[in-house]
């Protein structure tokens, strides 16, 4: 069973019924980024009364949300492709902490654009919301049909096309002290579901100390492997870590958990150090969706996976421009995107966003 609403345009995202009066308007705070020239205010909702020409669209506006009921063989990737949005859009809206696990009959909500929804909080401005998710201010204004002076209301749900944020994580407990030769994630309720990677070799580099959030623990658990790959291949560790985050959904993919394969590398020409691992995947063949069993490289250790990933760039001539820019991680990210590493045109900006947010450049200086 498949259900999908008909509306899908960005122009349908916002509602049309004003419902704000008795407003406490706060002036735009200092420090708005250069390039934001329009005046901007934040509005705190007091009560309903007569409309106001300066009032935004209804804060609980309909988002032209589509729904989809999961069928046998579905995956986040195939559903996202069917609706023309990114994988992350489906994951964020449905809070999928394990994107590989979809239940048949599960109802998913799908936005009519790639991005996310933000619920306005006190102190928010259009510029601050856009900047928080690395989106364009004008895109947020247009998608929500905001008019000068761009008033937004506490509790209003803003569409943020092109926005990005870290993928959702399971709540985990603080781990016991690991063995000297192991870096391991805290256990989840199921021992086979780990947020962070397991590294089977003792660290040989002095790595930055991070905090205890699931994201930081995951970064810490793969950093040694990324730095080792950089030593052997020249691929910036910052880029490798960011790619591992995106390609493995913060280490939660089955391929990462079961095959130590954090980059989706297929076994088309050869296997990995641990041979191959087979998964059923959906492919488009002759215009039809066909499920096929495909082999992916499997590795004995995280380090082997990361070095193999680095060698992929070194040995493939189409990435020569990226290798030439290996001392500039941001340019490296743009060059691999330009060379066709990913079909997502925003792939490089997502990598750079992760590198900036978590200061992954620190690992390039180890």
């Amino acid at each position: 069973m498949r259900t999908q609403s008909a509306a899908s345009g960005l122009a349908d995202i916002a509602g049309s019924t004003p419902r704000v009066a008795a407003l406490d308007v706060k002036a735009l705070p200092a420090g708005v980024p250069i390039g934001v020239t329009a005046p901007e205010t934040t509005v705190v909702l007091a009560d309903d009364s007569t409309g106001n020409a300066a009032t935004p669209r209804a804060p609980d506006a309909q988002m032209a949300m589509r729904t989809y009921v999961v069928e046998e063989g579905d995956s986040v990737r195939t559903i996202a492709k069917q609706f023309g949005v990114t994988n992350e859009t489906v994951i964020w809206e449905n809070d999928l902490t394990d994107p590989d696990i979809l239940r048949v009959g599960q109802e998913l909500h799908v936005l009519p654009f790639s991005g996310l929804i933000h619920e306005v909080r006190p102190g928010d401005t259009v510029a601050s919301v856009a900047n928080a998710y690395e989106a364009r201010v004008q895109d947020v204004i247009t998608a929500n049909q905001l008019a000068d002076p761009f008033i937004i209301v506490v509790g209003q749900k803003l569409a943020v096309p092109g926005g990005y944020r870290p993928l959702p994580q399971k709540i985990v407990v603080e781990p016991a002290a690991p063995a000297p030769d192991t870096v391991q994630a805290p256990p989840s309720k199921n021992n086979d579901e780990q947020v962070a990677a397991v590294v089977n070799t003792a660290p040989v580099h002095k790595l930055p100390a991070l905090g205890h959030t699931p994201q930081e623990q995951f970064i810490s658990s793969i950093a040694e492997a990324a730095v080792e790959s950089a030593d052997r291949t020249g691929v910036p560790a910052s880029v490798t870590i960011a790619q591992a985050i995106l390609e493995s959904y913060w280490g939660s993919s089955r391929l990462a958990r079961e095959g130590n394969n954090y980059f989706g590398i297929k076994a088309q020409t050869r296997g990995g150090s641990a041979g191959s691992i087979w998964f059923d995947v959906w492919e488009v063949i002759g215009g039809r969706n066909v499920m096929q069993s495909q082999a992916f490289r499997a590795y004995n250790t995280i380090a082997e996976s990361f070095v193999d990933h680095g060698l992929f760039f070194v040995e493939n001539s189409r990435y020569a421009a990226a290798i030439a820019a290996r001392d500039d991680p941001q340019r490296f990210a743009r060059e691999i995107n330009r060379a066709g590493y990913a079909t997502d045109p925003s792939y490089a900006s997502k990598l750079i966003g992760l590198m900036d947010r978590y200061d992954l450049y620190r690992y390039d200086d180890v």
Side-chain angles (χ1 to χ4, degrees):
M1 173 182 178
R2 298 172 188 262
T3 59
Q4 178 178 344
S5 65
S8 63
L10 283 181
D12 297 327
I13 291 171
S16 59
T17 306
R19 56 174 281 247
V20 178
L23 304 175
D24 174 15
V25 181
K26 298 180 181 178
L28 180 68
V32 174
I34 296 174
V36 179
T37 58
E40 189 175 357
T41 54
T42 298
V43 179
V44 178
L45 180 62
D47 56 28
D48 290 337
S49 183
T50 58
N52 183 319
T55 296
R57 305 282 179 168
D60 296 321
Q62 294 298 315
M63 292 291 169
M65 192 77 70
R66 285 87 55 89
T67 59
Y68 180 83
V69 178
V70 176
E71 294 186 348
E72 186 70 34
D74 279 337
S75 67
V76 168
R77 182 188 181 112
T78 60
I79 295 170
K81 185 174 182 178
Q82 176 179 332
F83 284 90
V85 298
T86 62
N87 298 343
E88 292 87 353
T89 298
V90 177
I91 295 169
W92 289 322
E93 185 60 30
N94 297 280
D95 195 27
L96 301 178
T97 54
D98 191 339
D100 286 316
I101 299 178
L102 295 177
R103 303 186 310 276
V104 173
Q106 179 181 0
E107 185 175 275
L108 299 178
H109 301 289
V110 185
L111 294 173
F113 57 89
S114 290
L116 49 90
I117 300 297
H118 172 83
E119 184 170 329
V120 176
R121 297 183 291 265
D124 280 347
T125 66
V126 173
S128 70
V129 170
N131 291 338
Y133 297 115
E134 299 175 7
R136 295 177 66 246
V137 175
Q138 187 57 52
D139 287 348
V140 176
I141 291 172
T142 301
N144 296 279
Q145 300 182 10
L146 299 177
D148 194 344
F150 310 118
I151 297 171
I152 55 177
V153 177
V154 170
Q156 180 176 356
K157 292 183 178 179
L158 284 180
V160 187
Y164 188 82
R165 71 182 183 212
L167 291 162
Q169 295 294 303
K170 295 180 180 179
I171 302 299
V172 294
V173 297
E174 188 69 21
D181 61 346
T182 304
V183 178
Q184 186 169 349
S188 64
K189 291 182 180 179
N190 298 318
N191 290 333
D192 61 340
E193 294 179 356
Q194 298 280 333
V195 173
V198 177
V199 180
N200 297 322
T201 56
V204 295
H205 299 90
K206 186 175 181 179
L207 302 174
L210 300 182
H212 299 289
T213 67
Q215 291 91 344
E216 290 171 314
Q217 290 179 13
F218 175 73
I219 292 170
S220 293
S221 72
I222 64 173
E224 175 67 28
V227 173
E228 180 178 338
S229 175
D231 288 345
R232 294 181 58 179
T233 69
V235 176
S238 56
V239 176
T240 301
I241 294 172
Q243 285 192 279
I245 291 170
L246 279 182
E247 303 294 341
S248 72
Y249 304 112
W250 291 90
S252 67
S253 71
R254 282 183 61 201
L255 191 56
R257 296 197 314 267
E258 298 176 17
N260 281 329
N261 186 334
Y262 281 72
F263 306 96
I265 301 177
K266 292 183 179 180
Q268 294 173 325
T269 57
R270 64 177 176 84
S273 60
S276 302
I277 185 169
W278 291 80
F279 287 103
D280 289 335
V281 297
W282 286 91
E283 300 284 352
V284 178
I285 300 177
R288 295 186 303 114
N289 288 325
V290 179
M291 178 179 282
Q292 290 189 330
S293 186
Q294 295 212 3
F296 294 83
R297 295 180 189 178
Y299 303 93
N300 292 312
T301 67
I302 301 288
E304 290 170 347
S305 170
F306 278 54
V307 170
D308 202 19
H309 165 262
L311 291 174
F312 173 79
F313 292 121
V314 172
E315 296 170 353
N316 194 325
S317 61
R318 71 174 177 173
Y319 297 109
I323 295 299
R326 58 184 174 272
D327 294 330
D328 184 342
Q330 293 191 3
R331 184 181 166 196
F332 188 99
R334 295 189 184 98
E335 291 293 348
I336 63 172
N337 199 181
R338 187 175 293 115
Y341 184 89
T343 57
D344 182 359
S346 301
Y347 187 74
S349 64
K350 290 176 180 178
L351 293 180
I352 293 169
L354 287 167
M355 290 189 286
D356 288 345
R357 184 180 297 113
Y358 296 102
D359 191 15
L360 301 181
Y361 309 106
R362 291 177 287 179
Y363 296 97
D364 296 323
D365 299 325
V366 171

